[in-house]
Amino acid sequence: MAANKSSRVLAGRYPPPGTSPIADAIRARRGPRGITPLDAALLHVPPVAGGWNSLLGAVRTQGKLPGDVRELMILRVAAINRAAFEWIQHEKVGREDGLNNAQLYIVRDEGTPLPPAPGILTQLQISALMFADASTRNVNVGDQIINALKKDLEVLARQQNVENIEERTEDLLAEAVLVVAAYNMVSRFLIAVDVAGLSDEPIPWPIERKEHLVSLPNSHTIHAITITASPDAPWIVLANSLLTNLHMWEFVIPHFISDSPDTITGKPRKPFNILIHSQRGHGKSTLPVPPADTTIPSLASDISHLLSILNIPTPVHGIVGVSQGGAASLAFARSYPELTRSVVACDTSPRTAPGNKEAWAGRIGVVYGGVSAEEILREGIQGGEVGKGADYALKVGMGKLADITVPRWFPKPSKCAEKESERGERHKWLAEMVENTPVHGFVAGAGALSDYDLYQSDEECRNLLTSPIERVLLLAGRLDGGGNIGQGLQHLRDEWNAVRCQNVNAKPVEYVEIPSAGHLPMIDEAEHFAEILRNFLDSFRL
């Protein structure tokens, strides 16, 4: 992050002490910091600078809102408006007022739908965040959001032990609205005149978060992000499903970087470092040449290469995957057990189920405009020139696939079952992710899922059931596949333990089910998924 640069738009004015009463008043409010680059830009119009100093001083220091709530709202404004100067100044203040890494991560992550998963922010922080978000993006805030904020502010008013609860609640609401309005004004000025030369700089993350485009031996590139919560923390790797990308994990990431107690259960937490990546042909990751080289074992190989190239110490604490990523994690347990202490396979299977090859062909046929499964199996996609063609597949077909797939992933009574359901914003967000998946990435992934069997030994004669992996957790949403996915994983657990437990020192394979979750429990039941996974990972943490 660049610092102390000059504006390319407007040179600041710094009147010497004693030459400008307005500048001296600003210095008195700022204290040791003196005139900031923002103040210097405002001092082109001294009366406005003076009024600004009085207004922002009152908003910041003379209200009744808790500091953490005020700073959380200011920081959300900065994140949405891309006001790096505003974020940098107020992250420090937010930390002084009690905001921690995981809370700041949620505030910074303006691309993931609200509300966030419970357990990181308090209820008042959540309603304040949702108000700041809606007011900044839409200006006109709906009744549901404003009433939720008012309800939580009433709880605060009662805690403040005042005589007139209703009056104090209204005062707090007015203050919250003024905070968001004032700092939207601030951010617009900061960006327009390029205060401190930061208007084009990205908003910093509260912990180290680095993006990587990693070239792998098979002529393809994997998009990965490393999130380092602590230099001494153990690493976990998260592998996405077919038709998603690395961002599918955003709801649970704050739970794993947190070093603060859960706001609901009060359980203490230690952070993990995280590697997320988009599997071949998904997100910004590319396919190998030929794309047919995409197999479930090759996805596990990609993870091993990422660990090596990114210099992540091994064995990592866990490889966690869901659906296609879950199959990859099982393949990793078979072929690379020395590189991880555990694997977690969610909503997946150790091999292609009977009839799935035809089912995947049928879904490819939907994308290309009603082509039969039989034709896809017989002829393939012919370079995209099957059915209605590649252009149709890109512009129409993937959207039709999303309309079919997302409701199947989140059947009722999942909270993400419909766009208008309790967590409908997540439904819409995921549907957009599916629709934007590269067509050839979907086809390659579907091909990999259509033909694999991890019960068979790999090229080194290693077998899944005889893997020396230290710990294994199998997890499923009970709603997934009408319960069939969970039944299949329970069968795998029993088969695996029949072999594994011949060694009296081996830890049994565990199975956990989330009753109200569908195919992607880290989205529709993120808080429950995170609690289960943390309990498992913490159980053998050194």
Side-chain angles (χ1 to χ4, degrees):
M1 170 64 64
N4 299 318
K5 296 196 303 182
S6 298
S7 167
R8 66 179 187 278
V9 176
L10 193 67
R13 292 187 175 171
Y14 296 84
T19 63
S20 166
I22 291 174
D24 290 343
I26 293 172
R27 286 190 180 92
R29 181 170 81 87
R30 295 294 191 192
R33 282 196 299 162
I35 300 289
T36 69
L38 171 59
D39 300 323
L42 289 165
L43 281 166
H44 281 273
V45 189
V48 172
W52 189 292
N53 182 52
S54 298
L55 170 64
L56 273 296
V59 169
R60 276 284 314 284
T61 64
Q62 297 179 32
K64 302 295 184 183
L65 280 175
D68 63 310
V69 174
R70 180 192 66 241
E71 295 303 318
L72 175 149
M73 292 193 294
I74 293 171
L75 287 164
R76 187 64 170 193
V77 171
I80 293 170
N81 290 340
R82 309 289 199 273
F85 183 91
E86 192 168 53
W87 178 279
I88 293 167
Q89 302 303 313
H90 285 271
E91 181 185 334
K92 294 178 289 187
V93 181
R95 289 186 184 278
E96 290 169 0
D97 284 323
L99 293 176
N100 60 45
N101 282 340
Q103 292 171 335
L104 288 165
Y105 191 97
I106 291 173
V107 177
R108 166 62 180 83
D109 181 17
E110 45 79 31
T112 301
L114 297 177
I120 301 295
L121 298 176
T122 67
Q123 186 54 51
L124 175 55
Q125 288 173 336
I126 289 173
S127 60
L129 179 67
M130 293 187 69
F131 171 79
D133 186 273
S135 181
T136 301
R137 294 183 194 273
N138 306 324
V139 183
N140 187 4
V141 178
D143 289 346
Q144 183 176 356
I145 289 175
I146 201 81
N147 289 337
L149 177 58
K150 191 171 183 179
K151 178 182 177 182
D152 292 329
L153 289 172
E154 181 180 341
V155 174
L156 175 62
R158 294 184 184 279
Q159 294 170 347
Q160 291 180 343
N161 197 26
V162 295
E163 290 186 10
N164 194 319
I165 300 296
E166 183 177 357
E167 274 192 10
R168 175 55 61 88
T169 302
E170 291 178 345
D171 293 348
L172 290 168
L173 180 62
E175 184 183 344
V177 174
L178 284 167
V179 167
V180 174
Y183 280 89
N184 267 291
M185 174 184 71
V186 173
S187 64
R188 281 159 173 75
F189 183 77
L190 286 168
I191 294 169
V193 301
D194 190 33
V195 168
L198 295 175
S199 62
D200 291 331
E201 292 288 335
I203 304 296
W205 288 87
I207 60 176
E208 183 182 282
R209 188 179 190 271
K210 291 184 178 179
E211 294 209 37
H212 312 267
L213 287 174
V214 183
S215 296
L216 297 189
N218 288 355
S219 73
H220 64 292
T221 299
I222 295 295
H223 178 217
I225 294 176
T226 49
I227 302 168
T228 307
S230 168
D232 301 322
W235 283 85
I236 58 175
V237 180
L238 307 179
N240 62 292
S241 72
L242 185 72
L243 291 169
T244 66
N245 58 50
L246 53 76
H247 293 295
M248 65 158 289
W249 297 101
E250 296 289 5
F251 286 106
V252 296
I253 285 174
H255 288 266
F256 296 106
I257 62 171
S258 176
D259 57 0
S260 300
D262 188 294
T263 61
I264 297 174
T265 66
K267 289 182 179 179
R269 291 181 286 208
K270 293 181 180 179
F272 289 93
N273 298 328
I274 301 173
L275 166 64
I276 54 176
H277 68 290
S278 294
Q279 295 191 92
R280 299 181 181 194
H282 288 65
K284 297 178 183 178
S285 295
T286 63
L287 287 169
V289 180
D293 283 352
T294 297
T295 63
I296 297 303
S298 73
L299 300 179
S301 174
D302 286 351
I303 296 173
S304 73
H305 284 300
L306 286 174
L307 295 176
S308 174
I309 293 169
L310 296 175
N311 294 314
I312 292 174
T314 56
V316 296
H317 201 69
I319 306 291
V320 183
V322 62
S323 190
Q324 177 180 275
S329 73
L330 292 175
F332 200 93
R334 182 185 70 170
S335 298
Y336 305 98
E338 72 281 2
L339 297 182
T340 182
R341 297 188 64 198
S342 70
V343 294
V344 181
C346 309
D347 296 88
T348 192
S349 173
R351 62 185 168 198
T352 303
N356 270 17
K357 190 178 186 73
E358 292 74 17
W360 284 116
R363 291 164 193 153
I364 294 170
V366 168
V367 170
Y368 282 96
V371 183
S372 70
E374 292 78 11
E375 184 176 347
I376 294 294
L377 289 171
R378 185 177 63 252
E379 305 291 342
I381 63 169
Q382 303 171 28
E385 296 311 314
V386 67
K388 295 182 180 180
D391 193 55
Y392 174 91
L394 175 65
K395 295 179 180 177
V396 179
M398 291 302 292
K400 288 186 177 294
L401 183 63
D403 291 341
I404 296 168
T405 300
V406 178
R408 180 169 56 83
W409 282 353
F410 298 132
K412 292 181 179 179
S414 167
K415 294 173 183 175
C416 293
E418 298 172 332
K419 295 179 182 178
E420 292 74 31
S421 56
E422 182 178 342
R423 294 179 173 175
E425 290 301 317
R426 300 185 192 185
H427 181 115
K428 290 183 276 190
W429 173 75
L430 189 66
E432 184 176 343
M433 193 181 297
V434 171
E435 184 173 357
N436 289 329
T437 297
V439 177
H440 289 291
F442 160 64
V443 172
L449 289 168
S450 296
D451 186 19
Y452 75 101
D453 187 349
L454 299 177
Y455 286 121
Q456 296 180 356
S457 297
D458 66 8
E459 295 176 354
E460 304 297 326
C461 298
R462 291 172 292 199
N463 183 277
L464 177 64
L465 300 184
T466 58
S467 168
I469 193 80
E470 182 180 341
R471 306 271 182 151
V472 180
L473 173 65
L474 307 176
L475 185 151
R478 185 176 296 171
L479 305 177
D480 192 9
N484 291 331
I485 302 300
Q487 291 173 14
L489 286 175
Q490 291 177 70
H491 181 68
L492 172 60
R493 173 201 59 190
D494 296 340
E495 286 188 301
W496 208 335
N497 281 335
V499 176
R500 186 176 176 84
C501 291
Q502 294 176 21
N503 178 352
V504 295
N505 295 318
K507 298 293 184 181
V509 174
E510 301 176 47
Y511 172 77
V512 179
E513 195 165 88
I514 301 179
S516 51
H519 186 59
L520 301 178
M522 61 291 303
I523 294 178
D524 62 347
E525 290 293 338
E527 63 275 22
H528 295 137
F529 174 86
E531 182 180 10
I532 290 167
L533 185 53
R534 278 209 68 120
N535 288 343
F536 172 73
L537 295 172
D538 286 344
S539 69
F540 56 96
R541 186 166 185 163
L542 298 177

